[in-house]
């Protein structure tokens, strides 16, 4: 495994790509309403990337070994879909929970982030709690990031919070190094033991993107070869940021005007 350390010039390019990825989510938010199809959400994002940002949607035709080429510009995962949901003709309904995952390429560098959206602004108590706890899981993971910390510290913080709320952590998919390639080393597991795993160094860039299920952790893949769902059909949520390890701690790269602020429970950890 070889984890790349980004140079100051590369980091500057990562900052640009990552901010642009987050701005796609800012742009699409107002369109996420009952009656809109995920296919329409995809078309709007795709157009915004190409026409306004002059970015490339990294998912389009992405084909890691064993996968068919991904057919769309973004991933849209609804309710019991865990990740990699392929946009299509199905209309969103009030109360659906939707993850939109955007990865753009700008000047050869990737920025990758996702957020949850509650369609129509209202859902069940369980769905809202799952989205909030998953958001907190992502930020608790981010708050562990500093030189000398280990990947297991991140995974442990996420797992402890999710399981402490009676939820489960998806094991088969993880965060990842990112840069000129979409998925680089290291793998960033969302569960683990403190003090284990790769030691973080300033200049590393990777994603933290916990997938948390309301029911059991087990997943299955749909026949489209991409969409991942919970085996028990329970709800699933995910949030994702791309981060940089800095000499002082962490810089969240996928920030933009429309990002929800970090939750209260990490505010102290991050300002220290
Ligand atoms: N954006 C996803 C991630 O966070 C990867 C999606 S791969 C795709 O790693 F092909 F489904 F787009
Ligand atoms: Co990612
Ligand atoms: Co992503």
């Amino acid at each position: 495994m070889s984890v790349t350390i980004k140079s100051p010039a590369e980091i500057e390019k990562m900052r640009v790509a990552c901010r642009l990825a987050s701005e796609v989510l800012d742009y699409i938010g107002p369109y996420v309403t009952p009656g809109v199809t995920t296919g329409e959400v995809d078309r709007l994002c795709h157009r915004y990337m190409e026409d306004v940002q002059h970015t490339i949607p990294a998912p389009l035709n992405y084909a890691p070994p064993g996968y068919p080429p991904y057919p769309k510009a973004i991933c849209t995962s609804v309710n019991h879909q865990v990740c990699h949901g392929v946009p299509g003709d199905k209309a969103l309904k009030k109360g659906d929970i939707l993850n939109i995952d955007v990865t753009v390429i700008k000047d050869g560098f990737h920025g990758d982030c996702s957020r949850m959206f509650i369609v129509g602004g209202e859902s069940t108590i369980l769905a809202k709690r799952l989205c909030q706890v998953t958001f907190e899981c992502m930020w608790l993971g981010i708050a562990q990031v500093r030189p000398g910390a280990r990947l297991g510290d991140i995974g442990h913080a996420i797992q402890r919070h999710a399981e402490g709320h009676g939820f489960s952590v998806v094991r088969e998919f993880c965060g990842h190094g990112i840069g000129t390639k979409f998925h680089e080393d290291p793998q960033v597991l969302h569960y683990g033991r403190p003090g284990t795993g790769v030691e973080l160094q300033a200049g590393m860039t990777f994603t933290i993107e916990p997938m948390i299920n309301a029911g059991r952790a087990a997943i299955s893949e749909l026949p489209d070869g991409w969409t991942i769902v919970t085996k028990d059909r329970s709800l699933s949520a995910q949030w994702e940021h791309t981060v940089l390890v800095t000499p002082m701690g962490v810089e969240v790269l996928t920030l933009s005007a429309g990002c929800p602020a970090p939750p209260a429970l990490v505010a102290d950890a991050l300002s220290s």
Side-chain angles (χ1 to χ4, degrees):
M1 186 173 68
S2 66
V3 180
T4 63
I5 301 298
K6 271 72 180 178
S7 70
E10 291 170 328
I11 289 168
E12 199 43 51
K13 291 182 183 186
M14 286 295 293
R15 283 196 182 99
V16 173
C18 287
R19 179 181 43 78
L20 288 164
S22 188
E23 284 176 356
V24 176
L25 294 170
D26 294 355
Y27 159 77
I28 200 63
Y31 295 98
V32 179
T33 52
V36 172
T37 68
T38 51
E40 185 60 18
V41 169
D42 175 75
R43 276 188 292 279
L44 288 164
C45 288
H46 196 171
R47 257 206 343 237
Y48 186 76
M49 292 180 224
E50 285 189 340
D51 298 350
V52 178
Q53 295 188 327
H54 308 291
T55 55
I56 298 166
L60 188 61
N61 297 316
Y62 185 61
Y67 286 83
Y70 188 80
K72 298 288 178 180
I74 61 169
C75 299
T76 52
S77 304
V78 186
N79 295 336
H80 68 288
Q81 297 179 347
V82 173
C83 63
H84 305 167
V86 179
D89 297 334
K90 219 169 139 206
L92 297 169
K93 316 180 297 301
K94 183 168 188 238
D96 283 346
I97 59 169
L98 167 69
N99 175 275
I100 302 181
D101 192 333
V102 167
T103 313
V104 304
I105 308 171
K106 182 72 165 185
D107 204 4
F109 284 80
H110 291 72
D112 187 10
C113 54
S114 79
R115 300 181 199 159
M116 294 303 296
F117 295 85
I118 296 178
V119 179
E122 252 319 304
S123 191
T124 62
I125 303 241
L126 174 66
K128 286 190 285 188
R129 203 167 61 101
L130 178 66
C131 293
Q132 178 63 24
V133 168
T134 305
F135 180 66
E136 292 167 354
C137 283
M138 174 186 66
W139 274 104
L140 286 167
I142 292 170
Q144 293 295 320
V145 176
R146 59 178 170 75
R150 289 172 178 268
L151 286 178
D153 301 337
I154 298 172
H156 177 74
I158 292 168
Q159 179 178 15
R160 196 168 86 112
H161 193 62
E163 293 179 355
H165 284 82
F167 298 144
S168 61
V169 177
V170 172
R171 300 295 202 271
E172 290 84 349
F173 298 92
C174 55
H176 49 92
I178 182 167
T180 56
K181 289 194 298 203
F182 194 164
H183 294 105
E184 302 183 351
D185 287 333
Q187 295 197 30
V188 181
L189 303 184
H190 302 118
Y191 59 92
R193 293 205 323 278
T196 66
V198 171
E199 184 177 321
L200 304 185
Q201 282 176 56
M204 291 179 178
T205 52
F206 55 86
T207 71
I208 298 177
E209 50 179 301
M211 284 141 275
I212 307 297
N213 298 346
R216 301 183 69 95
I219 52 137
S220 38
E221 188 184 285
L222 296 189
D224 63 19
W226 277 103
T227 308
I228 303 298
V229 297
T230 55
K231 218 171 204 151
D232 63 7
R233 297 298 191 264
S234 64
L235 292 174
S236 187
Q238 180 178 28
W239 289 80
E240 177 176 24
H241 270 310
T242 300
V243 304
L244 165 71
V245 185
T246 66
M248 295 295 298
V250 63
E251 179 179 335
V252 179
L253 298 177
T254 37
L255 290 179
S256 60
C259 269
L265 83 169
V266 301
D268 291 349
L270 285 168
S271 61
S272 68

